[in-house]
Amino acid sequence: MRVSVQETAFDAGAEANAFTAGLTGAGAVVTFTGIVRDNGGRLAAMEIEHYPGMTERAIAAMVEEASRRWALADALVIHRHGRLEANAPIMMVATASAHRADAFAAAEFLMDYLKSRAPFWKKEIGADGAAWVAAKDEDEAALRRW
Amino acid sequence: MRVSVQETAFDAGAEANAFTAGLTGAGAVVTFTGIVRDNGGRLAAMEIEHYPGMTERAIAAMVEEASRRWALADALVIHRHGRLEANAPIMMVATASAHRADAFAAAEFLMDYLKSRAPFWKKEIGADGAAWVAAKDEDEAALRRW
Amino acid sequence: MQRIDVLYFAWVRERIGLPRERVETDAATVAGLVAELAAREERYALAFADLTSLRVALDQELADFGASLEGVREVAFFPPMTGG
Amino acid sequence: MQRIDVLYFAWVRERIGLPRERVETDAATVAGLVAELAAREERYALAFADLTSLRVALDQELADFGASLEGVREVAFFPPMTGG
Protein backbone atom coordinates (compact mmCIF):
# COMPACT_ATOMS: atom_id res chain seq x y z
CA MET A 1 0.00 0.00 0.00
CA ARG A 2 1.46 3.38 -0.95
CA VAL A 3 0.09 6.91 -0.54
CA SER A 4 1.89 9.83 -2.15
CA VAL A 5 0.78 13.47 -1.83
CA GLN A 6 3.13 15.34 -4.10
CA GLU A 7 3.64 18.57 -6.01
CA THR A 8 5.53 16.96 -8.89
CA ALA A 9 3.90 15.53 -11.99
CA PHE A 10 3.69 11.75 -12.35
CA ASP A 11 3.46 9.28 -15.23
CA ALA A 12 0.21 7.36 -14.71
CA GLY A 13 1.16 4.53 -17.08
CA ALA A 14 4.59 4.05 -15.52
CA GLU A 15 3.04 4.08 -12.03
CA ALA A 16 0.44 1.51 -13.10
CA ASN A 17 3.12 -0.75 -14.57
CA ALA A 18 5.31 -0.49 -11.46
CA PHE A 19 2.26 -1.24 -9.28
CA THR A 20 1.39 -4.29 -11.39
CA ALA A 21 4.99 -5.55 -11.47
CA GLY A 22 5.03 -5.61 -7.67
CA LEU A 23 2.03 -7.94 -7.37
CA THR A 24 2.06 -11.65 -6.67
CA GLY A 25 -1.03 -13.69 -7.43
CA ALA A 26 -3.39 -10.81 -8.22
CA GLY A 27 -5.32 -11.27 -11.45
CA ALA A 28 -7.14 -7.94 -11.56
CA VAL A 29 -5.77 -4.39 -11.56
CA VAL A 30 -8.07 -1.36 -11.72
CA THR A 31 -6.78 2.18 -12.10
CA PHE A 32 -8.52 5.52 -12.03
CA THR A 33 -6.75 8.63 -13.30
CA GLY A 34 -8.20 12.11 -12.88
CA ILE A 35 -7.19 14.66 -15.52
CA VAL A 36 -7.43 18.47 -15.34
CA ARG A 37 -10.22 19.25 -17.81
CA ASP A 38 -9.52 22.33 -19.89
CA ASN A 39 -13.24 23.16 -20.28
CA GLY A 40 -12.90 23.80 -23.98
CA GLY A 41 -9.77 25.93 -23.60
CA ARG A 42 -11.23 28.22 -20.92
CA LEU A 43 -9.14 26.72 -18.13
CA ALA A 44 -5.50 27.85 -18.02
CA ALA A 45 -4.48 25.98 -14.88
CA MET A 46 -5.71 24.51 -11.64
CA GLU A 47 -4.38 25.13 -8.16
CA ILE A 48 -4.85 22.51 -5.51
CA GLU A 49 -4.50 23.46 -1.86
CA HIS A 50 -4.30 20.79 0.80
CA TYR A 51 -3.82 20.32 4.52
CA PRO A 52 -0.36 18.81 5.00
CA GLY A 53 -0.42 16.13 7.63
CA MET A 54 -4.17 15.62 7.65
CA THR A 55 -4.17 14.74 3.94
CA GLU A 56 -1.81 11.80 4.35
CA ARG A 57 -3.61 10.60 7.50
CA ALA A 58 -7.03 10.81 5.88
CA ILE A 59 -5.96 8.94 2.75
CA ALA A 60 -4.13 6.26 4.76
CA ALA A 61 -7.31 5.73 6.79
CA MET A 62 -9.35 5.34 3.55
CA VAL A 63 -6.89 2.78 2.19
CA GLU A 64 -7.03 0.85 5.49
CA GLU A 65 -10.81 0.87 5.40
CA ALA A 66 -10.79 -0.38 1.78
CA SER A 67 -8.41 -3.19 2.79
CA ARG A 68 -10.79 -4.22 5.55
CA ARG A 69 -13.77 -4.33 3.20
CA TRP A 70 -12.22 -6.03 0.18
CA ALA A 71 -9.54 -8.65 -0.44
CA LEU A 72 -6.85 -6.36 -1.83
CA ALA A 73 -3.42 -7.55 -2.90
CA ASP A 74 -2.27 -3.93 -3.01
CA ALA A 75 -3.47 -0.33 -3.37
CA LEU A 76 -1.89 2.92 -4.49
CA VAL A 77 -3.02 6.55 -4.17
CA ILE A 78 -1.13 9.46 -5.75
CA HIS A 79 -2.57 12.97 -5.45
CA ARG A 80 -0.92 16.17 -6.62
CA HIS A 81 -1.18 19.62 -5.06
CA GLY A 82 0.05 23.03 -6.18
CA ARG A 83 -0.31 24.38 -9.70
CA LEU A 84 -1.37 21.93 -12.43
CA GLU A 85 -1.56 22.57 -16.15
CA ALA A 86 -4.68 21.70 -18.16
CA ASN A 87 -4.71 18.06 -19.32
CA ALA A 88 -2.22 16.97 -16.65
CA PRO A 89 -3.06 14.04 -14.36
CA ILE A 90 -4.30 15.30 -10.97
CA MET A 91 -4.34 12.01 -9.16
CA MET A 92 -4.60 8.27 -9.56
CA VAL A 93 -5.82 5.29 -7.62
CA ALA A 94 -4.79 1.70 -8.35
CA THR A 95 -6.19 -1.42 -6.70
CA ALA A 96 -5.28 -5.07 -7.19
CA SER A 97 -7.14 -8.19 -6.20
CA ALA A 98 -7.55 -11.83 -7.16
CA HIS A 99 -10.95 -10.97 -8.65
CA ARG A 100 -12.22 -7.98 -10.55
CA ALA A 101 -15.25 -7.21 -8.38
CA ASP A 102 -13.08 -6.41 -5.34
CA ALA A 103 -10.63 -4.32 -7.35
CA PHE A 104 -13.45 -2.27 -8.94
CA ALA A 105 -15.34 -1.76 -5.68
CA ALA A 106 -12.23 -0.67 -3.77
CA ALA A 107 -11.20 1.78 -6.50
CA GLU A 108 -14.67 3.37 -6.57
CA PHE A 109 -14.79 3.52 -2.78
CA LEU A 110 -11.40 5.25 -2.63
CA MET A 111 -12.43 7.73 -5.34
CA ASP A 112 -15.68 8.60 -3.58
CA TYR A 113 -13.85 9.21 -0.31
CA LEU A 114 -10.99 11.13 -1.91
CA LYS A 115 -13.51 13.45 -3.60
CA SER A 116 -15.25 14.52 -0.41
CA ARG A 117 -13.22 13.45 2.63
CA ALA A 118 -9.59 14.16 1.78
CA PRO A 119 -8.63 17.79 2.55
CA PHE A 120 -7.98 19.07 -0.98
CA TRP A 121 -9.49 22.21 -2.50
CA LYS A 122 -9.42 22.96 -6.20
CA LYS A 123 -9.23 26.42 -7.69
CA GLU A 124 -9.76 26.92 -11.41
CA ILE A 125 -7.75 29.64 -13.07
CA GLY A 126 -9.20 30.83 -16.37
CA ALA A 127 -9.06 33.81 -18.70
CA ASP A 128 -11.89 35.42 -16.72
CA GLY A 129 -10.36 35.02 -13.26
CA ALA A 130 -10.03 32.35 -10.60
CA ALA A 131 -12.74 30.48 -8.70
CA TRP A 132 -12.86 27.77 -6.06
CA VAL A 133 -14.54 24.60 -7.31
CA ALA A 134 -17.76 24.00 -5.36
CA ALA A 135 -18.39 20.58 -3.85
CA LYS A 136 -21.14 18.68 -5.65
CA ASP A 137 -24.18 17.20 -3.97
CA GLU A 138 -23.76 14.08 -6.11
CA ASP A 139 -20.27 13.52 -4.67
CA GLU A 140 -21.66 13.68 -1.13
CA ALA A 141 -24.50 11.37 -2.19
CA ALA A 142 -22.02 8.88 -3.67
CA LEU A 143 -20.63 8.22 -0.17
CA ARG A 144 -23.93 6.88 1.03
CA ARG A 145 -23.68 3.68 -0.96
CA TRP A 146 -20.72 2.38 1.06
CA MET B 1 -12.97 3.53 -29.83
CA ARG B 2 -10.43 0.79 -30.53
CA VAL B 3 -10.68 -3.00 -30.25
CA SER B 4 -7.58 -5.14 -30.69
CA VAL B 5 -7.57 -8.94 -30.56
CA GLN B 6 -3.93 -9.86 -30.76
CA GLU B 7 -1.40 -12.61 -30.12
CA THR B 8 1.44 -10.25 -29.21
CA ALA B 9 2.12 -8.95 -25.71
CA PHE B 10 1.22 -5.36 -24.90
CA ASP B 11 2.39 -2.73 -22.41
CA ALA B 12 -0.66 -1.82 -20.30
CA GLY B 13 0.87 1.40 -18.95
CA ALA B 14 1.95 2.61 -22.40
CA GLU B 15 -1.50 1.78 -23.81
CA ALA B 16 -3.18 3.67 -20.96
CA ASN B 17 -0.97 6.71 -21.53
CA ALA B 18 -1.60 6.71 -25.29
CA PHE B 19 -5.35 6.36 -24.64
CA THR B 20 -5.28 9.29 -22.20
CA ALA B 21 -3.16 11.46 -24.50
CA GLY B 22 -5.79 11.10 -27.22
CA LEU B 23 -8.62 12.50 -25.09
CA THR B 24 -10.07 16.00 -25.17
CA GLY B 25 -12.17 17.20 -22.28
CA ALA B 26 -12.43 13.89 -20.41
CA GLY B 27 -11.58 14.17 -16.73
CA ALA B 28 -11.85 10.51 -15.75
CA VAL B 29 -9.98 7.48 -17.09
CA VAL B 30 -10.59 3.97 -15.72
CA THR B 31 -8.51 0.98 -16.74
CA PHE B 32 -8.83 -2.69 -15.95
CA THR B 33 -5.94 -5.04 -16.62
CA GLY B 34 -6.25 -8.82 -16.30
CA ILE B 35 -3.07 -10.71 -15.43
CA VAL B 36 -2.33 -14.43 -15.79
CA ARG B 37 -2.28 -15.64 -12.19
CA ASP B 38 0.44 -18.19 -11.54
CA ASN B 39 -1.54 -19.91 -8.75
CA GLY B 40 1.45 -20.01 -6.45
CA GLY B 41 3.81 -21.26 -9.15
CA ARG B 42 1.58 -24.16 -10.26
CA LEU B 43 0.65 -22.47 -13.55
CA ALA B 44 3.31 -22.59 -16.26
CA ALA B 45 1.30 -20.87 -18.99
CA MET B 46 -2.16 -20.17 -20.29
CA GLU B 47 -3.50 -20.79 -23.76
CA ILE B 48 -6.37 -18.71 -25.03
CA GLU B 49 -8.40 -19.92 -27.96
CA HIS B 50 -10.82 -17.59 -29.70
CA TYR B 51 -13.21 -17.45 -32.64
CA PRO B 52 -11.63 -15.12 -35.20
CA GLY B 53 -14.23 -12.86 -36.73
CA MET B 54 -16.89 -13.38 -34.10
CA THR B 55 -14.55 -12.14 -31.35
CA GLU B 56 -14.03 -8.73 -32.97
CA ARG B 57 -17.75 -8.42 -33.82
CA ALA B 58 -18.86 -9.36 -30.32
CA ILE B 59 -16.48 -6.92 -28.63
CA ALA B 60 -17.35 -4.09 -31.03
CA ALA B 61 -21.04 -4.65 -30.20
CA MET B 62 -20.26 -4.48 -26.45
CA VAL B 63 -18.37 -1.21 -26.90
CA GLU B 64 -21.25 0.24 -28.93
CA GLU B 65 -23.71 -0.79 -26.24
CA ALA B 66 -21.53 0.81 -23.55
CA SER B 67 -21.40 4.03 -25.60
CA ARG B 68 -25.18 4.07 -25.79
CA ARG B 69 -25.56 3.63 -22.04
CA TRP B 70 -22.88 6.02 -20.77
CA ALA B 71 -21.36 9.31 -21.91
CA LEU B 72 -17.98 7.98 -23.04
CA ALA B 73 -15.27 10.16 -24.54
CA ASP B 74 -13.44 7.01 -25.66
CA ALA B 75 -13.04 3.29 -24.98
CA LEU B 76 -10.33 0.73 -25.63
CA VAL B 77 -10.34 -3.07 -25.47
CA ILE B 78 -7.21 -5.18 -25.97
CA HIS B 79 -7.42 -8.96 -25.59
CA ARG B 80 -4.66 -11.45 -26.27
CA HIS B 81 -4.99 -14.99 -27.56
CA GLY B 82 -2.50 -17.81 -28.01
CA ARG B 83 0.07 -18.80 -25.40
CA LEU B 84 0.62 -16.46 -22.45
CA GLU B 85 3.24 -16.70 -19.74
CA ALA B 86 2.31 -16.47 -16.05
CA ASN B 87 2.14 -12.86 -14.80
CA ALA B 88 1.66 -11.45 -18.32
CA PRO B 89 -1.30 -9.13 -19.03
CA ILE B 90 -4.13 -11.05 -20.72
CA MET B 91 -6.31 -8.11 -21.61
CA MET B 92 -7.20 -4.56 -20.74
CA VAL B 93 -10.16 -2.23 -20.95
CA ALA B 94 -9.92 1.57 -20.74
CA THR B 95 -12.83 3.99 -20.59
CA ALA B 96 -12.87 7.78 -20.47
CA SER B 97 -15.64 10.16 -19.54
CA ALA B 98 -16.22 13.64 -18.16
CA HIS B 99 -17.22 12.08 -14.83
CA ARG B 100 -15.95 9.08 -12.93
CA ALA B 101 -19.27 7.28 -12.47
CA ASP B 102 -19.72 6.76 -16.22
CA ALA B 103 -16.13 5.64 -16.73
CA PHE B 104 -16.36 3.11 -13.88
CA ALA B 105 -19.75 1.75 -14.93
CA ALA B 106 -18.72 1.33 -18.58
CA ALA B 107 -15.47 -0.44 -17.62
CA GLU B 108 -17.31 -2.87 -15.34
CA PHE B 109 -19.99 -3.48 -17.97
CA LEU B 110 -17.35 -4.23 -20.61
CA MET B 111 -15.51 -6.58 -18.24
CA ASP B 112 -18.66 -8.49 -17.33
CA TYR B 113 -19.54 -8.96 -21.00
CA LEU B 114 -16.01 -9.85 -22.06
CA LYS B 115 -15.89 -12.56 -19.37
CA SER B 116 -18.99 -14.40 -20.54
CA ARG B 117 -20.03 -13.19 -24.01
CA ALA B 118 -16.83 -12.80 -26.01
CA PRO B 119 -15.72 -16.09 -27.60
CA PHE B 120 -12.52 -16.75 -25.70
CA TRP B 121 -11.63 -19.99 -23.93
CA LYS B 122 -8.81 -20.28 -21.42
CA LYS B 123 -6.72 -23.38 -20.88
CA GLU B 124 -4.37 -23.59 -17.93
CA ILE B 125 -1.14 -25.47 -18.43
CA GLY B 126 0.50 -26.62 -15.22
CA ALA B 127 3.01 -29.16 -14.01
CA ASP B 128 0.19 -31.71 -13.62
CA GLY B 129 -1.32 -31.28 -17.08
CA ALA B 130 -3.65 -28.93 -18.92
CA ALA B 131 -7.29 -28.09 -18.18
CA TRP B 132 -9.91 -25.80 -19.68
CA VAL B 133 -11.03 -23.11 -17.27
CA ALA B 134 -14.70 -23.59 -16.36
CA ALA B 135 -17.09 -20.67 -16.63
CA LYS B 136 -18.17 -19.37 -13.22
CA ASP B 137 -21.77 -18.96 -12.12
CA GLU B 138 -20.83 -15.64 -10.54
CA ASP B 139 -19.67 -14.32 -13.93
CA GLU B 140 -23.00 -15.22 -15.49
CA ALA B 141 -24.79 -13.66 -12.52
CA ALA B 142 -22.76 -10.44 -12.90
CA LEU B 143 -24.43 -9.83 -16.29
CA ARG B 144 -27.85 -9.57 -14.71
CA ARG B 145 -27.15 -6.22 -13.08
CA TRP B 146 -26.93 -4.41 -16.44
CA MET C 1 -29.99 -30.12 -48.60
CA GLN C 2 -27.98 -27.26 -47.15
CA ARG C 3 -24.23 -26.87 -46.88
CA ILE C 4 -23.05 -25.46 -43.57
CA ASP C 5 -19.59 -24.84 -42.13
CA VAL C 6 -19.57 -26.27 -38.63
CA LEU C 7 -16.89 -24.98 -36.24
CA TYR C 8 -15.81 -26.44 -32.90
CA PHE C 9 -13.87 -24.65 -30.16
CA ALA C 10 -12.07 -25.54 -26.93
CA TRP C 11 -12.97 -28.97 -25.50
CA VAL C 12 -15.67 -29.49 -28.13
CA ARG C 13 -12.93 -29.24 -30.79
CA GLU C 14 -10.70 -31.58 -28.79
CA ARG C 15 -13.43 -34.21 -28.29
CA ILE C 16 -14.51 -34.21 -31.92
CA GLY C 17 -10.92 -34.00 -33.07
CA LEU C 18 -11.22 -31.27 -35.67
CA PRO C 19 -11.71 -27.50 -35.68
CA ARG C 20 -14.20 -27.29 -38.57
CA GLU C 21 -15.91 -29.30 -41.25
CA ARG C 22 -18.36 -28.84 -44.10
CA VAL C 23 -21.69 -30.56 -43.38
CA GLU C 24 -24.62 -31.36 -45.67
CA THR C 25 -27.83 -31.41 -43.72
CA ASP C 26 -31.62 -31.44 -43.98
CA ALA C 27 -31.99 -30.26 -40.39
CA ALA C 28 -34.28 -27.27 -39.95
CA THR C 29 -32.92 -26.23 -36.55
CA VAL C 30 -29.70 -26.30 -34.56
CA ALA C 31 -31.16 -29.10 -32.42
CA GLY C 32 -31.80 -31.12 -35.59
CA LEU C 33 -28.20 -30.62 -36.71
CA VAL C 34 -26.93 -31.65 -33.26
CA ALA C 35 -29.01 -34.86 -33.46
CA GLU C 36 -27.52 -35.70 -36.87
CA LEU C 37 -23.96 -35.05 -35.66
CA ALA C 38 -24.41 -36.95 -32.39
CA ALA C 39 -25.65 -39.99 -34.35
CA ARG C 40 -22.46 -40.14 -36.42
CA GLU C 41 -19.82 -41.48 -34.05
CA GLU C 42 -19.00 -41.90 -30.39
CA ARG C 43 -16.78 -38.78 -30.29
CA TYR C 44 -19.66 -36.63 -31.57
CA ALA C 45 -22.11 -38.27 -29.17
CA LEU C 46 -19.72 -37.46 -26.30
CA ALA C 47 -19.23 -33.86 -27.39
CA PHE C 48 -22.98 -33.25 -27.60
CA ALA C 49 -23.97 -35.36 -24.57
CA ASP C 50 -24.92 -32.36 -22.40
CA LEU C 51 -26.32 -29.40 -24.30
CA THR C 52 -26.56 -27.28 -21.13
CA SER C 53 -22.74 -27.15 -21.15
CA LEU C 54 -22.66 -25.97 -24.78
CA ARG C 55 -23.26 -22.69 -26.54
CA VAL C 56 -23.99 -22.14 -30.22
CA ALA C 57 -23.40 -19.23 -32.60
CA LEU C 58 -25.08 -18.85 -36.01
CA ASP C 59 -23.08 -16.76 -38.46
CA GLN C 60 -21.07 -15.46 -35.49
CA GLU C 61 -24.03 -14.40 -33.35
CA LEU C 62 -25.02 -16.28 -30.18
CA ALA C 63 -28.23 -18.26 -30.68
CA ASP C 64 -30.42 -20.94 -29.09
CA PHE C 65 -30.50 -24.63 -29.91
CA GLY C 66 -34.07 -24.16 -31.13
CA ALA C 67 -33.04 -21.56 -33.72
CA SER C 68 -33.73 -22.11 -37.44
CA LEU C 69 -30.86 -22.90 -39.80
CA GLU C 70 -32.54 -21.16 -42.72
CA GLY C 71 -29.98 -19.12 -44.62
CA VAL C 72 -27.26 -19.92 -42.05
CA ARG C 73 -23.79 -20.57 -43.46
CA GLU C 74 -21.69 -21.02 -40.33
CA VAL C 75 -22.59 -22.80 -37.10
CA ALA C 76 -20.17 -22.88 -34.15
CA PHE C 77 -20.36 -25.07 -31.04
CA PHE C 78 -18.34 -24.28 -27.95
CA PRO C 79 -18.38 -24.33 -24.12
CA PRO C 80 -19.41 -21.26 -22.08
CA MET C 81 -16.92 -18.49 -22.77
CA THR C 82 -14.13 -17.61 -20.36
CA GLY C 83 -12.64 -14.35 -21.59
CA GLY C 84 -11.42 -11.33 -19.67
CA MET D 1 -7.44 29.64 28.94
CA GLN D 2 -6.30 27.30 26.17
CA ARG D 3 -3.87 27.91 23.35
CA ILE D 4 -4.98 26.53 20.00
CA ASP D 5 -3.48 26.72 16.52
CA VAL D 6 -6.29 27.71 14.17
CA LEU D 7 -5.82 26.92 10.47
CA TYR D 8 -7.80 28.24 7.50
CA PHE D 9 -7.92 26.76 4.02
CA ALA D 10 -9.20 27.73 0.55
CA TRP D 11 -11.70 30.62 0.54
CA VAL D 12 -11.83 30.68 4.36
CA ARG D 13 -8.10 31.46 4.32
CA GLU D 14 -8.61 34.08 1.61
CA ARG D 15 -11.48 35.81 3.45
CA ILE D 16 -9.70 35.91 6.77
CA GLY D 17 -6.43 36.82 5.09
CA LEU D 18 -4.11 34.40 6.83
CA PRO D 19 -3.40 30.66 6.77
CA ARG D 20 -3.00 30.10 10.53
CA GLU D 21 -2.84 31.85 13.84
CA ARG D 22 -2.38 31.06 17.52
CA VAL D 23 -5.56 31.76 19.50
CA GLU D 24 -6.15 31.98 23.27
CA THR D 25 -9.66 30.95 24.10
CA ASP D 26 -12.03 29.98 26.90
CA ALA D 27 -14.46 28.36 24.47
CA ALA D 28 -15.50 24.84 25.41
CA THR D 29 -16.67 23.83 21.93
CA VAL D 30 -15.91 24.55 18.30
CA ALA D 31 -19.13 26.59 18.09
CA GLY D 32 -17.92 28.71 21.01
CA LEU D 33 -14.58 29.32 19.27
CA VAL D 34 -16.39 30.26 16.06
CA ALA D 35 -18.51 32.80 18.00
CA GLU D 36 -15.37 34.36 19.47
CA LEU D 37 -13.64 34.58 16.10
CA ALA D 38 -16.72 35.91 14.26
CA ALA D 39 -17.02 38.69 16.86
CA ARG D 40 -13.50 39.91 16.16
CA GLU D 41 -13.73 41.65 12.79
CA GLU D 42 -15.84 41.89 9.66
CA ARG D 43 -13.58 39.49 7.70
CA TYR D 44 -14.04 36.80 10.36
CA ALA D 45 -17.77 37.43 10.52
CA LEU D 46 -17.95 36.98 6.73
CA ALA D 47 -15.89 33.80 6.77
CA PHE D 48 -18.10 32.23 9.46
CA ALA D 49 -21.43 33.66 8.22
CA ASP D 50 -22.75 30.29 7.00
CA LEU D 51 -21.59 27.29 9.00
CA THR D 52 -23.37 24.85 6.65
CA SER D 53 -20.75 25.76 4.02
CA LEU D 54 -17.88 25.06 6.43
CA ARG D 55 -16.17 21.98 7.73
CA VAL D 56 -13.95 21.64 10.79
CA ALA D 57 -11.14 19.30 11.75
CA LEU D 58 -9.80 18.85 15.30
CA ASP D 59 -6.20 17.66 15.42
CA GLN D 60 -6.56 16.62 11.78
CA GLU D 61 -9.74 14.58 12.20
CA LEU D 62 -13.10 15.75 10.83
CA ALA D 63 -15.44 16.83 13.63
CA ASP D 64 -18.73 18.62 14.31
CA PHE D 65 -19.21 22.22 15.38
CA GLY D 66 -20.63 20.95 18.65
CA ALA D 67 -17.44 19.02 19.49
CA SER D 68 -15.48 19.78 22.67
CA LEU D 69 -12.13 21.55 22.46
CA GLU D 70 -10.77 19.78 25.50
CA GLY D 71 -7.19 18.74 24.83
CA VAL D 72 -7.36 19.95 21.23
CA ARG D 73 -4.22 21.63 19.90
CA GLU D 74 -5.12 22.29 16.26
CA VAL D 75 -8.45 23.40 14.78
CA ALA D 76 -8.88 23.82 11.02
CA PHE D 77 -11.76 25.51 9.19
CA PHE D 78 -12.34 24.96 5.49
CA PRO D 79 -15.02 24.57 2.82
CA PRO D 80 -16.31 21.13 1.72
CA MET D 81 -13.42 19.23 0.19
CA THR D 82 -12.99 18.86 -3.56
CA GLY D 83 -10.28 16.29 -4.09
CA GLY D 84 -10.00 13.53 -6.65
Side-chain angles (χ1 to χ4, degrees):
Chain A
M1 311 283 169
R2 184 163 75 91
V3 173
S4 175
V5 180
Q6 61 187 53
E7 194 157 1
T8 50
F10 66 92
D11 180 325
E15 294 285 356
N17 277 353
F19 177 79
T20 303
L23 301 171
T24 46
V29 175
V30 169
T31 73
F32 177 92
T33 308
I35 318 281
V36 181
R37 272 174 282 161
D38 68 358
N39 294 334
R42 280 176 291 121
L43 187 91
M46 177 172 271
E47 271 177 22
I48 301 183
E49 187 168 331
H50 81 120
Y51 184 171
M54 178 172 170
T55 311
E56 292 79 357
R57 284 173 62 157
I59 299 176
M62 291 167 199
V63 172
E64 274 169 44
E65 178 63 23
S67 300
R68 265 192 295 274
R69 291 180 183 224
W70 296 284
L72 296 184
D74 201 3
L76 166 70
V77 176
I78 301 173
H79 204 303
R80 290 181 68 187
H81 61 88
R83 192 178 177 94
L84 279 73
E85 324 69 51
N87 304 312
I90 300 171
M91 51 80 62
M92 78 178 281
V93 159
T95 54
S97 182
H99 302 290
R100 72 188 185 286
D102 283 5
F104 270 119
E108 290 193 70
F109 171 89
L110 287 172
M111 283 309 305
D112 285 352
Y113 272 82
L114 283 164
K115 278 272 166 192
S116 308
R117 291 293 182 273
F120 291 103
W121 300 276
K122 290 196 187 104
K123 192 180 206 175
E124 291 181 342
I125 295 150
D128 44 347
W132 292 100
V133 173
K136 288 186 207 133
D137 289 344
E138 70 201 60
D139 284 332
E140 195 61 32
L143 290 178
R144 273 177 237 132
R145 60 178 164 152
W146 303 111
Chain B
M1 310 282 167
R2 184 163 75 90
V3 173
S4 174
V5 180
Q6 61 188 51
E7 195 158 0
T8 50
F10 65 92
D11 180 327
E15 293 286 354
N17 277 353
F19 177 78
T20 303
L23 301 171
T24 45
V29 174
V30 170
T31 72
F32 177 93
T33 307
I35 318 281
V36 181
R37 272 174 283 160
D38 68 358
N39 294 335
R42 279 177 291 120
L43 187 90
M46 178 173 272
E47 270 175 22
I48 301 184
E49 186 169 331
H50 81 121
Y51 184 171
M54 178 171 169
T55 311
E56 292 81 357
R57 285 172 63 158
I59 299 175
M62 290 167 200
V63 172
E64 274 169 43
E65 179 63 21
S67 300
R68 268 191 294 275
R69 291 181 183 223
W70 296 283
L72 295 184
D74 202 2
L76 165 70
V77 176
I78 301 173
H79 203 303
R80 290 181 68 188
H81 60 89
R83 192 177 176 94
L84 280 73
E85 324 68 52
N87 304 312
I90 300 172
M91 52 79 63
M92 78 178 281
V93 159
T95 55
S97 181
H99 302 290
R100 73 188 185 286
D102 282 5
F104 270 119
E108 290 192 71
F109 171 89
L110 287 172
M111 283 310 304
D112 284 352
Y113 272 82
L114 282 164
K115 278 272 168 193
S116 308
R117 292 292 180 272
F120 291 102
W121 300 275
K122 291 196 187 102
K123 192 180 206 174
E124 291 180 342
I125 295 150
D128 44 348
W132 292 99
V133 174
K136 288 185 207 133
D137 289 344
E138 69 199 61
D139 285 332
E140 195 63 32
L143 290 178
R144 274 178 234 132
R145 59 179 166 153
W146 304 110
Chain C
M1 271 297 178
Q2 182 181 2
R3 270 196 197 165
I4 297 180
D5 285 318
V6 181
L7 281 64
Y8 309 110
F9 291 98
W11 59 252
V12 184
R13 172 180 56 70
E14 291 179 341
R15 265 183 219 181
I16 291 176
L18 44 94
R20 64 189 299 153
E21 60 186 315
R22 178 72 56 89
V23 167
E24 306 230 331
T25 181
D26 286 319
T29 64
V30 176
L33 175 62
V34 166
E36 283 184 12
L37 292 167
R40 280 182 171 183
E41 289 178 47
E42 183 70 11
R43 59 196 168 103
Y44 286 94
L46 275 172
F48 291 107
D50 176 14
L51 290 192
T52 65
S53 67
L54 287 183
R55 300 291 179 266
V56 61
L58 303 184
D59 290 331
Q60 306 190 352
E61 297 274 356
L62 286 172
D64 297 320
F65 284 89
S68 165
L69 291 180
E70 195 179 331
V72 169
R73 301 198 301 190
E74 186 172 298
V75 175
F77 295 104
F78 42 78
M81 295 157 271
T82 54
Chain D
M1 269 298 178
Q2 181 180 4
R3 268 194 198 164
I4 297 180
D5 285 316
V6 182
L7 281 64
Y8 309 111
F9 291 98
W11 59 253
V12 183
R13 172 181 54 71
E14 290 178 341
R15 266 184 217 180
I16 291 176
L18 45 94
R20 63 187 301 152
E21 60 186 316
R22 178 71 56 92
V23 167
E24 306 229 331
T25 181
D26 287 320
T29 64
V30 176
L33 174 63
V34 167
E36 283 184 11
L37 292 168
R40 280 182 172 183
E41 288 178 49
E42 182 70 10
R43 57 195 170 104
Y44 285 94
L46 276 171
F48 290 107
D50 175 15
L51 290 193
T52 65
S53 67
L54 288 183
R55 301 290 179 267
V56 62
L58 303 183
D59 289 331
Q60 308 191 351
E61 296 275 356
L62 285 171
D64 298 321
F65 284 89
S68 164
L69 291 180
E70 195 179 332
V72 169
R73 303 198 301 189
E74 186 173 296
V75 176
F77 295 105
F78 42 79
M81 295 157 269
T82 53

